[in-house]
Every structure is written in C-alpha cells, then in structure tokens.
Amino acid sequence: VREQTRQRIHRAIAKLRYVPHGAARSLITRKTHTVGVLLPDLFGEFFSELIRGIDLAARRHGYHLLVSSSHGDRSETEAMLRAMRGRVDGLIVLSPDLDGPDFESNLPSGFPVVLLNADGKKIFDSIRVDNYGGSLTVVRHLIGLGHRSIAFVTGPPRNHDAAERLRGYRDAVAGAGGRLLELDGDFREEAGYRAAGRMPRGKHPPTAVFAANDAMAIGLLCAFRERHIRVPEDVALAGFDDIPIARFITPPLTTVQVPIADLGARATAQLLHAIGEGDARRKPWEEVLPTRLVVRSSCGALLRARAAAAAPRSAQTQLPMSTSVQSDEEENDSRFSISPKEERR
Amino acid sequence: VREQTRQRIHRAIAKLRYVPHGAARSLITRKTHTVGVLLPDLFGEFFSELIRGIDLAARRHGYHLLVSSSHGDRSETEAMLRAMRGRVDGLIVLSPDLDGPDFESNLPSGFPVVLLNADGKKIFDSIRVDNYGGSLTVVRHLIGLGHRSIAFVTGPPRNHDAAERLRGYRDAVAGAGGRLLELDGDFREEAGYRAAGRMPRGKHPPTAVFAANDAMAIGLLCAFRERHIRVPEDVALAGFDDIPIARFITPPLTTVQVPIADLGARATAQLLHAIGEGDARRKPWEEVLPTRLVVRSSCGALLRARAAAAAPRSAQTQLPMSTSVQSDEEENDSRFSISPKEERR
DNA sequence: TTGTAAGCGTTATCAG
DNA sequence: CTGATAACGCTTACAA
C-alpha cells in the first residue's frame, strides 16, 4: 500500500472512530477467536484456578474467553450449548450431566470440544486429572505409616472425580488386605463435620481418615477438635485438592495437589490445536495429568520422621508412576506458611 | 402457528441439526446478550469472587460473560477494548490504566461501560468499595483499644484501593493525634514479611500494625512468629479484604470484609439497566459499597473483652455510617472455623 | 400460513 | 490501487 493512502485511511479511521464489528467479521470469516468454557458452577478455588490456566493459554494465542456456568438442569445446559454456536470456535466443557448425544444434537457436527474430568468415550478429546492415582498414593502412604483401618469420606454420588477417588481408596485398601469403611459425603465442609459423628467408636475405631476433598477434611478436623481428638496423634487425616487453606490450618493438611491451572492450560492448547487443523477426523486425544502427594503434619508422617530420624519412608517405594511425593519442607515458599511449629515446642 | 406446522418445523430442526448462529443473529438485532469483563489480571480470591457475582447477575437476565484479562500494557488493553465491539452489549472494566479518552477513542460513542473501583470522573457509571471508610474504621478500632503508635503497610503505588486505604489510615491517625508510620508494601505476602523487618525497634515501637491487605498481614504474622513476637499480646495486627484464609490462621485475623461478589452483581445490574434504556444521556451513576469490620483475635479486642467481661466497646461509637462492625462470634458458619480456642485453654 | 426481499458490517472476488 | 458486487446467516416487513 502506498504511504499516502495509508495515511488517508488512518485519518478516516480516527475521524469516524471506526472500530471493526466482531459479529459481522466472524460471520464471514467463520472464526470468532473465542473459546467457550462451560462449567457446572463456580466453585471458588477450583474455578478460579481453572480459568486462570485457560485464560493464559488462550490469550497467548490471541483468543478470548466466553464463560458460561449453569447451576441448573440439563435443559438449561443444553440451551447454553446451543447459544455457543457462532459465538465461539470451540468449547471446553466441565459437566458431569452432559453426554455424547447431547453434544451431537446441540452442536454442529465436528465442532471442536474438549471434555474436562469426564469420560470422553472415545468420541471427544478429553483431559483429566489422575484422581485414581492420587487417591491410591495417599492411602498407600497411610498404610505405610502402619494404619490398617482407614475410613473414607466420599464425594457426591454422580461426581466423576469423587468416583475415581473412591476407586483408588478401595483398590489401595484391598491391595493391603485392610477393611473398607466408607462414609457418605458431598465435598462440603459440613459433610466432613457430620461424617466425624458417624465414625464407629467400638474397640477398633479407624486410626486414619481420608476425605475425598480438603473441604471435608477441614470439617472433620473441626469436629475432632470439638471432641478433643488430636490430629495426628489420635487419628491421622488426609485430604485431596491442596487448596490454599490446606497449608495454613492447624495442623497443616496432608493432601494431594491437583494441577488445576495446568488442566485448563492443556485443555486450551489441545482445543486450539483442534480448531487450527479443521475437522480432521483423527482419533480422539486423551490425557491424564499426574497428581502429587503433599505430606504435611496431619497424617503423622512428619512426627514419626522426626522421632526416628533417618528411617527410610516405606511408602515411597510403592508409588505409581504418575504421582510424585513431596514434603512441605521442600516447597520453596514454605517460609511463608503459618505452620504450627511454635505450638508444638 | 398451527400445530401441524410447528411439528413439521421441529422435525426439520432435528433432522438438519439446526442451531441458530449467534454472530449472524446479533449482526441484525444489534444485541449480543453478552457482557464483557475487562480485568487487569486474575487475582485468585478477588477475581473469582467478582466473576461469581457478575455471572450470577448476568445469567439471571440471560446474559453471557466474555472475560478478558490483560496482563499487559495499555496498547494491549486498548486492543481488547476494540475487540469488544460487536461481541458484547456493554462492558465492566476494572483497570487502573484506562482513562476516559481511551474509552472514547476505542469504543463506539455511548457504549455502556461501568467502571469498577476507579474514578468515573463524572463521565462513566462507576461503583466502588468503601476502602476509605473501612480503613478509617479499623484504625479507629485499634485506637479505641488504646494503641497510639500504629504502623501501616501500604499497597502498590498506583493502586486505587491501596491509595484509599492509606488515606483512611492517615485521617484516622491524624484525627486522634497519633504518629504516622508508613512502610512500603505491594499487596503480596513477602512485602508484609519484609515490612516486619523494617519496623523501628527503639523505645517506642509500634504496638499495632495495620496491613493494607490480608496477604501482607499474613506475611507479617509469619515474620512475627519467627521472632517470637506474639500476636496480639506483643503487637496487634489487622488486615483488609477478609480473604477466606483470614479466619483459619492462628490467630484469626481482624480485617475488613469487602463485598466483592456484591460489587460484581451491582455493577452488572447497573450495566444491564444502562443497556436496556439505550443511550439516554442521563447523569452518570455512582455507587459506593459499604465495608464491614470483622473483629477476630489478632487485634486483641476479644482478649480484652474476655478479661473485662461486660465493658462496652468504645470503638463502636465512632463508626462512620457506611461501615458496620461484626465480631466473628455472630457469624453463622463459625461452627466450622478452625479457631484456636483449644490451644488457649 | 407461506414466500420473497432487504439489510446488518464484514471479507472476498473480480473488473477496471 | 480502486470500486463494484456477492456472500455469510439471520430478522423483519410485506406481499401472496
């Protein structure tokens, strides 16, 4: 273009305050430069981390984010699915309710979709966190500490993550010949609190409790406090998620770190890849993100390690490939954790 | 419409898998049923709460959310602003960098915009949190507890919230004839940690520290622990924000609750109202949301209240209209807080 | 009830 | 390099 023309155009742009119209542009280009995110609800911690991961990856490629969360029933969710047509180039979906047929009837065929923490059923791309492996690792860690009677507080019934964590618990306990003791929960603090009240108190009460998520573990901890049951001296406790609070409570909670931001970032990367290559009818892609055991005080391992100073930790030899163990001491920001060292002097 | 025709159409819809095309539709209707949210960055706590509030309000009116966060410089932010044209019906903006002229040159004139925690300059609708009042209240509360030398750890230099909190501190201290002691901070934990090291240690060290946000208060707490300075016995501590962790740390933190979700919800309500009424050239609307002092253990007030059982709290008479006081005991979910009662027996 | 035509703001194509 | 024209998928209005 000639410089003179350029100038003339830019002057016109400025004078008319011209700004291109997104809808009109994407109508003809068939590109919106937007990825849609469909969530069941806005869980505080989880949601914010997930979005952060997605946003970072999306923006790096010049994409926007259309967030859609639906409290509600399937029909509402399906409506949102439909509303996405012509507004986004692809979809990241986290929804236990939605099934293959739902997508096929509410979306143009070949529409790029990545499923989060759900079974892709060999039809859709999917990515999930290794809930099973993480659960297995925690329970084996507790078993390695000598616990034989380990209770498990479950998550909500139809939740995929919850089911996988339960499966890990069962397999680990069965593998060690232990007894199963499952208490119903729903991922909320109160559920943990109430589960504590339903624990058997006979001659052989559980010596350890594993909650399907940290929130319930905190509920349990609270209930134990009220009954003057000490953690970890009287009962060991472990959670799942590694929410920020986990390291700040007393005692700091042994838990499984879930790479939520990574989950979002990886999902986005894959989605953008799928968008880029058109609808090549390639084999659906599937990925499992490793989880990581974070050993803090609530399971009693640190107490024991301090007592029998240089004894090798037996649990470490039993870890599945996809899960690593890390004690809190090794984390680089532990300087700022409010640990209960002072209380224990 | 005749039932027979209806049926025929629905059958066709199902057979062709017809889904309306959002871009095409909004091109002619000039409505996208989407609100844009422009954020400087995705702060964990703050961001997630804000989005929750916005989303709830937006969805209630059938609107979607287009989230756009820009780490970056102004030119990047301006580009995002432009990209919003034809994709959203209105904009909620939280950005200290953006000024009036920026909006005027990058958006169609009369485009509905609501500014968050920024000065609307009588040109735009705006809504903000009463940082000043909250700050005033905390400091007066500390003064009411007998503190005369209160240190303040500031937020980042160009931050609007930080500036208002600083102003509240200065006015409250000046009003009581106290001494000002300001330590530089930036809202991050480390800043609080380091500020503790810079506190004067002479004959009259500060007897209370007020951090411009909770994260820094936690950093301070951590530093105090390492030096065996007890909170609140040796030094009183207060923060700002009431992040979830605040109630779980030891000791629970006295702080100011900021209604972040409300901020988002109110902003959305106003934006949708503005969208609905077209561009009536009405006077820009402005709202300030009240903050609330939450008294927990870290300021020493509860300790004192327990000692001198039924003494009326002097601070309560000095509160500005827009801020209320509430002790943790009255909060309905305190049953689940991990409070340090047991440690103190 | 059904069919037809115009137009929303772009991009793409093809002559001049 | 410029200008005209078609098309994207929809809504709206009006005619049949």
Side-chain angles (χ1 to χ4, degrees):
Chain A
V1 242
R2 198 171 28 169
E3 184 55 28
Q4 189 199 347
T5 321
R6 245 184 83 86
Q7 295 274 330
R8 191 147 63 93
I9 296 195
H10 275 110
R11 243 176 299 138
I13 288 179
K15 197 169 69 187
L16 299 175
R17 288 237 200 112
Y18 170 78
V19 181
H21 192 284
R25 177 179 280 187
S26 53
L27 184 57
I28 184 76
T29 40
R30 317 185 122 290
K31 292 238 139 294
T32 60
H33 279 272
T34 304
V35 306
V37 185
L38 217 68
L39 302 170
D41 201 352
L42 281 59
F43 296 96
E45 306 286 0
F46 188 87
F47 161 79
S48 120
E49 272 303 287
L50 185 67
I51 295 281
R52 184 208 303 286
I54 295 176
D55 177 75
L56 235 65
R59 192 173 51 216
R60 204 168 33 231
H61 297 269
Y63 272 71
H64 293 274
L65 240 57
L66 189 62
V67 182
S68 222
S69 73
S70 70
H71 266 305
D73 46 31
R74 269 178 54 135
S75 73
E76 191 191 329
T77 315
E78 289 188 73
M80 308 211 114
L81 220 53
R82 272 195 301 275
M84 289 299 165
R85 159 97 202 274
R87 301 160 111 32
V88 300
D89 295 335
L91 228 35
I92 294 176
V93 178
L94 174 58
S95 171
D97 295 334
L98 250 36
D99 215 340
D102 296 319
F103 293 110
E104 309 210 317
S105 63
N106 291 305
L107 286 176
S109 68
F111 196 83
V113 174
V114 172
L115 263 40
L116 250 39
N117 276 11
D119 193 350
K121 299 245 176 74
K122 312 287 178 205
I123 301 175
F124 298 100
D125 290 345
S126 71
I127 176 169
R128 60 172 170 277
V129 149
D130 186 19
N131 284 296
Y132 174 77
S135 186
L136 211 59
T137 310
V138 177
V139 180
R140 286 184 177 165
H141 174 69
L142 292 171
I143 289 170
L145 292 170
H147 297 283
R148 285 298 169 267
S149 177
I150 303 171
F152 180 73
V153 185
T154 69
R158 289 166 29 72
N159 184 292
H160 183 266
D161 297 310
E164 287 293 290
R165 292 172 190 183
L166 174 59
R167 197 164 64 84
Y169 163 74
R170 285 178 177 165
D171 286 2
V173 169
R179 266 210 336 277
L180 289 171
L181 173 54
E182 298 169 10
L183 301 163
D184 289 345
D186 61 5
F187 274 172
R188 290 181 306 166
E189 259 176 10
E190 288 94 316
Y193 185 88
R194 282 196 301 267
R198 295 198 309 274
M199 290 221 311
R201 301 154 179 269
K203 277 192 292 192
H204 299 295
T207 57
V209 186
F210 172 32
N213 76 344
D214 287 350
M216 294 197 298
I218 289 175
L220 280 158
L221 191 56
C222 191
F224 289 150
R225 284 259 170 109
E226 289 183 2
R227 289 150 209 248
H228 299 96
I229 299 170
R230 292 167 307 164
V231 176
E233 291 84 352
D234 300 330
V235 62
L237 182 64
F240 206 115
D241 279 348
D242 195 23
I243 61 178
I245 300 178
R247 68 166 5 158
F248 291 110
I249 59 176
T250 308
L253 189 64
T254 288
T255 185
V256 178
Q257 191 185 88
V258 175
I260 305 174
D262 284 355
L263 186 70
R266 294 289 307 135
T268 308
Q270 175 55 24
L271 182 64
L272 293 180
H273 181 74
I275 290 172
E277 77 177 358
D279 73 338
R281 219 147 272 111
R282 53 125 176 58
K283 189 161 85 180
W285 160 96
E286 207 162 3
E287 186 171 349
V288 176
L289 255 38
T291 51
R292 193 168 65 92
L293 176 63
V294 180
V295 177
R296 298 202 181 96
S297 305
S298 74
C299 63
L302 300 183
L303 217 71
R304 170 167 322 198
R306 227 159 271 164
R313 213 181 306 156
S314 63
Q316 210 133 17
T317 62
Q318 299 175 19
L319 300 175
M321 292 271 295
S322 75
T323 306
S324 65
V325 176
Q326 182 171 14
S327 146
D328 222 31
E329 269 77 348
E330 302 160 29
E331 294 184 65
N332 51 11
D333 54 342
S334 65
R335 186 168 57 118
F336 296 110
S337 70
I338 309 295
S339 66
K341 281 172 207 154
E342 286 73 20
E343 275 90 346
R344 225 189 277 131
R345 69 197 125 98
Chain B
V1 243
R2 196 170 31 172
E3 183 55 27
Q4 188 200 346
T5 320
R6 248 184 80 86
Q7 294 274 329
R8 193 146 63 91
I9 295 193
H10 274 110
R11 243 177 298 138
I13 288 180
K15 196 168 69 186
L16 299 175
R17 289 237 199 110
Y18 172 78
V19 181
H21 191 284
R25 178 179 283 191
S26 53
L27 186 55
I28 183 77
T29 36
R30 314 184 126 290
K31 292 238 141 293
T32 60
H33 279 272
T34 303
V35 305
V37 185
L38 218 68
L39 302 170
D41 201 353
L42 280 59
F43 297 96
E45 305 285 1
F46 189 85
F47 160 78
S48 117
E49 272 302 287
L50 185 67
I51 295 281
R52 185 208 303 285
I54 294 175
D55 177 76
L56 235 64
R59 193 174 51 217
R60 204 167 36 230
H61 297 268
Y63 273 72
H64 293 274
L65 239 57
L66 189 62
V67 183
S68 223
S69 73
S70 70
H71 268 304
D73 47 29
R74 270 177 53 136
S75 74
E76 191 190 328
T77 314
E78 288 188 74
M80 308 212 113
L81 220 54
R82 272 194 301 274
M84 289 298 163
R85 159 96 203 274
R87 305 161 105 41
V88 300
D89 295 335
L91 230 34
I92 294 176
V93 178
L94 174 59
S95 171
D97 295 335
L98 250 37
D99 215 340
D102 297 319
F103 293 110
E104 310 211 315
S105 63
N106 291 304
L107 286 175
S109 68
F111 197 82
V113 173
V114 172
L115 265 38
L116 250 39
N117 275 12
D119 193 350
K121 299 247 175 74
K122 313 286 177 204
I123 302 176
F124 298 101
D125 289 345
S126 71
I127 177 169
R128 59 172 171 276
V129 149
D130 186 19
N131 284 297
Y132 175 76
S135 186
L136 212 58
T137 310
V138 177
V139 179
R140 285 184 178 166
H141 174 70
L142 292 171
I143 290 169
L145 291 171
H147 297 284
R148 285 298 170 269
S149 178
I150 303 171
F152 180 74
V153 185
T154 68
R158 288 165 30 74
N159 184 292
H160 184 265
D161 297 310
E164 286 294 290
R165 292 172 191 182
L166 174 59
R167 198 164 63 86
Y169 162 75
R170 285 177 177 166
D171 286 3
V173 169
R179 264 210 337 276
L180 289 172
L181 174 54
E182 298 169 10
L183 300 163
D184 290 344
D186 62 5
F187 275 172
R188 290 181 307 167
E189 258 176 10
E190 287 95 316
Y193 184 88
R194 282 196 300 266
R198 295 198 310 273
M199 290 221 309
R201 299 153 180 270
K203 276 193 292 191
H204 299 295
T207 57
V209 185
F210 172 32
N213 77 344
D214 287 350
M216 294 196 299
I218 289 175
L220 280 158
L221 191 56
C222 192
F224 289 150
R225 283 258 168 110
E226 290 184 1
R227 290 150 207 247
H228 299 96
I229 299 171
R230 292 166 307 163
V231 175
E233 291 84 351
D234 301 329
V235 62
L237 183 64
F240 208 113
D241 280 347
D242 195 23
I243 62 178
I245 300 178
R247 69 166 3 159
F248 290 110
I249 58 176
T250 307
L253 189 65
T254 288
T255 184
V256 178
Q257 193 185 87
V258 175
I260 305 174
D262 284 355
L263 185 71
R266 294 289 307 133
T268 309
Q270 174 56 24
L271 183 64
L272 293 180
H273 180 75
I275 290 172
E277 75 177 358
D279 74 338
R281 218 146 273 111
R282 52 126 177 58
K283 189 162 84 180
W285 160 96
E286 207 161 4
E287 187 172 347
V288 177
L289 291 179
T291 51
R292 192 168 65 92
L293 176 63
V294 181
V295 177
R296 298 203 181 95
S297 305
S298 73
C299 63
L302 300 182
L303 216 72
R304 169 168 322 198
R306 226 158 271 165
R313 212 180 307 155
S314 64
Q316 210 133 17
T317 61
Q318 299 175 19
L319 301 175
M321 293 269 295
S322 75
T323 306
S324 65
V325 177
Q326 182 172 12
S327 146
D328 222 30
E329 268 78 348
E330 301 159 31
E331 294 184 65
N332 51 11
D333 55 341
S334 66
R335 187 169 56 118
F336 295 110
S337 69
I338 308 295
S339 66
K341 282 172 205 151
E342 287 73 19
E343 275 91 347
R344 226 190 277 130
R345 68 197 126 98

